[in-house]
Amino acid sequence: MFEVFKKELLELLRDRKTLFFVLALPMLIFPVIMGLVGFLGSQAALKAEQKVHTYYIINAQHSKQFAERVFYHKSFKQYSGAEQFDTIDALKEAVRSGSIDVGIYLEADPADALKQGKQAKWQMVFNDAQSINFIYNRLQSLANEFSELLREQALVSLGVSKDKQQAILQPIVVSKVDTADKRENIGEKIGAFIPYLLIPLVLMGASYPAIDLGAGEKERGTLETLLLTPVTRTQLVLGKFLTVLLSSLACATVTVLSMAIWVSVAVSFVELDTIKNAFSSITGMDFVLIFALLVPIAAIFSSLVLAISIYARTFKEAQNYMAPLSMGVFLPIVVSLMPNMVLNAKTALIPVTNVALAIKEIVKGTVDYGLLSMIVITSAGLAALLLACCVRWFSKETVLFR
């Protein structure tokens, strides 16, 4: 078994393509991609936020104060074209054609409407798909400020002093006392997404060498030579399995180390104290626990991909089989993101989902070590069962010589 393992490992180390996907990709490429996406996203959001939007107001005479607030706002500039708009439909058409970014229709004077005990209904016309809601939020903020001013004036005219207005408008104030610390709050929000990076990489670390050790051997015609050696089928499968498992674990190790390094680097440079304090509380033991969870998952994936590779006739056919498996791995991860999905005695028995939930709990700092042990044991049991099936699969001539 170990002779087969040594032989396959040497061949794996000579394959630069596999080494790139197992080592270089998790350590460098993914952090660079994530950083680049984050940078481009922040730049796009900043550009959208700083954009000056062209506006047109119908019936500006109904509220000169509001019209002046919009005019002097740094995010808006008045339409300077010759065309005139007097209906909602005209404003819609102007927005669609690009003549203006937003149209404002003031149906009535809010001061007069308030005296009559009515609300003034204003309409904002814009393309919400392109504005990322910046336009509406800013105009609504200006309208709310003006509305508060009118309300204050109306209450004063009714004999309610300014110092009593807040108590009348909001007699009861409810405040939230959160028992969760900053790490738990942030971990709940981002902890569930970490498995999206870790678990698929573990599968990828097993897939590439497994395809070569199974379907690749068939395609090159070297599988028959191995079968003629004085090695049992079980030893042959175990040797190949150990090679695939080592590759998967190497990918997992590099991924966890990379995540630890990049988190420490981010903590050193990020200026947000909340995020900094939350991530600085993640210890080395937490990363060890995450790695411990990935070991049985790596064994499960190694057994699966090796069985698939042995069944496939060619390298290309094996790659086609791996695609549905990759998609299937994401399904239990998505399940872990569902509302009210928490780690308990039941969810600890769901493969992959249990690991995703446990990683989130580790990031939050609220992990239950009893459930963690249950996950490792059940995952290891499933991996052993799949490995036994893989050995039996390899023993069938109809599978080896399809």
Side-chain angles (χ1 to χ4, degrees):
M1 178 181 72
F2 289 103
E3 290 298 324
V4 176
F5 171 66
K6 187 189 299 182
K7 171 253 182 191
E8 300 293 2
L9 183 60
L10 289 174
E11 291 185 357
L12 180 64
L13 293 175
R14 295 191 187 105
D15 188 352
R16 294 182 179 180
K17 179 181 178 181
T18 301
L19 290 177
F20 171 79
F21 281 105
V22 172
L23 299 177
L25 199 62
M27 180 60 76
L28 297 175
I29 303 300
F30 274 96
V32 170
I33 291 176
M34 291 176 65
L36 183 61
V37 170
F39 173 76
L40 293 177
S42 62
Q43 290 298 309
L46 182 62
K47 184 178 179 181
E49 190 173 356
Q50 293 178 342
K51 182 180 178 182
V52 178
H53 304 283
T54 303
Y55 74 91
Y56 187 95
I57 300 180
I58 296 178
N59 298 329
Q61 71 277 3
H62 286 334
S63 182
K64 294 182 179 179
Q65 286 181 282
F66 175 76
E68 288 178 358
R69 287 170 182 261
V70 178
F71 180 80
Y72 288 110
H73 196 284
K74 63 180 181 179
S75 299
F76 297 101
K77 64 177 180 180
Q78 194 170 20
Y79 173 68
S80 57
E83 192 174 357
Q84 299 292 316
F85 312 109
D86 54 4
T87 63
I88 289 291
D89 290 334
L91 290 178
K92 289 180 179 179
E93 188 59 36
V95 171
R96 292 193 189 100
S97 65
S99 301
I100 59 174
D101 295 317
V102 57
I104 306 170
Y105 183 80
L106 307 184
E107 184 178 1
D109 186 335
D112 294 340
L114 186 59
K115 292 177 182 178
Q116 299 174 16
K118 298 179 180 179
Q119 291 179 314
K121 297 180 179 180
W122 295 354
Q123 299 182 61
M124 313 292 180
V125 181
F126 63 100
N127 188 334
D128 196 21
Q130 296 179 358
S131 67
I132 323 178
N133 224 29
F134 284 135
I135 293 178
Y136 179 73
N137 289 340
R138 286 168 180 162
L139 289 175
Q140 187 181 43
S141 177
L142 292 175
N144 287 341
E145 291 176 6
F146 186 53
S147 179
E148 290 175 4
L149 177 62
L150 291 175
R151 181 177 59 199
E152 180 182 308
Q153 293 173 351
L155 289 174
V156 169
S157 66
L158 293 174
V160 181
S161 60
K162 291 184 179 180
D163 56 342
K164 294 181 180 180
Q165 289 182 12
Q166 189 63 35
I168 293 175
L169 294 173
Q170 192 175 5
I172 299 175
V173 177
V174 179
S175 60
K176 180 176 68 174
V177 180
D178 194 357
T179 59
D181 56 19
K182 294 177 181 178
R183 174 180 174 178
E184 187 175 348
N185 274 323
I186 296 178
E188 178 65 31
K189 295 177 177 65
I190 68 172
F193 294 96
I194 292 179
Y196 269 108
L197 174 65
L198 296 181
I199 295 177
L201 278 175
V202 172
L203 175 61
M204 185 186 69
S207 299
Y208 285 96
I211 292 174
D212 186 67
L213 297 183
E217 293 270 17
K218 282 185 176 182
E219 199 166 18
R220 292 191 299 269
T222 57
L223 182 61
E224 291 82 355
T225 305
L226 282 176
L227 294 174
L228 292 174
T229 59
V231 179
T232 65
R233 298 286 177 89
T234 300
Q235 291 174 330
L236 194 58
V237 173
L238 290 178
K240 289 179 177 293
F241 169 78
L242 288 177
T243 305
V244 177
L245 179 61
L246 180 63
S247 173
S248 181
L249 290 178
C251 187
T253 304
V254 171
T255 302
V256 173
L257 288 176
S258 174
M259 187 174 67
I261 292 170
W262 286 100
V263 165
S264 62
V265 171
V267 166
S268 301
F269 289 97
V270 169
E271 296 180 357
L272 296 176
D273 292 334
T274 302
I275 298 178
K276 191 172 182 177
N277 293 335
F279 279 107
S280 61
S281 59
I282 299 178
T283 64
M285 181 55 66
D286 294 327
F287 289 105
V288 172
L289 291 176
I290 291 174
F291 178 78
L293 287 170
L294 294 179
V295 171
I297 284 291
I300 291 173
F301 290 160
S302 298
S303 301
L304 283 173
V305 296
L306 186 59
I308 292 173
S309 181
I310 291 171
Y311 177 78
R313 294 188 183 92
T314 63
F315 197 94
K316 185 176 181 180
E317 184 180 347
Q319 286 181 319
N320 292 335
Y321 291 148
M322 294 300 174
L325 178 62
S326 300
M327 295 298 297
V329 168
F330 280 101
L331 181 60
I333 301 177
V334 171
V335 171
S336 68
L337 293 174
M338 290 183 176
N340 299 324
M341 280 296 294
V342 295
L343 185 62
N344 52 39
K346 292 182 179 179
T347 55
L349 300 176
I350 305 175
V352 182
T353 299
N354 53 8
V355 173
L357 291 172
I359 290 176
K360 183 176 73 171
E361 294 297 322
I362 291 172
V363 175
K364 289 169 57 179
T366 58
V367 65
D368 185 328
Y369 291 98
L371 294 176
L372 200 66
S373 302
M374 183 188 298
I375 292 171
V376 173
I377 292 171
T378 55
S379 298
L382 179 59
L385 178 63
L386 291 173
L387 180 58
C389 294
C390 186
V391 172
R392 183 175 178 81
W393 195 246
F394 199 84
S395 301
K396 295 183 176 182
E397 302 291 334
T398 53
V399 174
L400 292 178
F401 303 105
R402 287 180 66 236

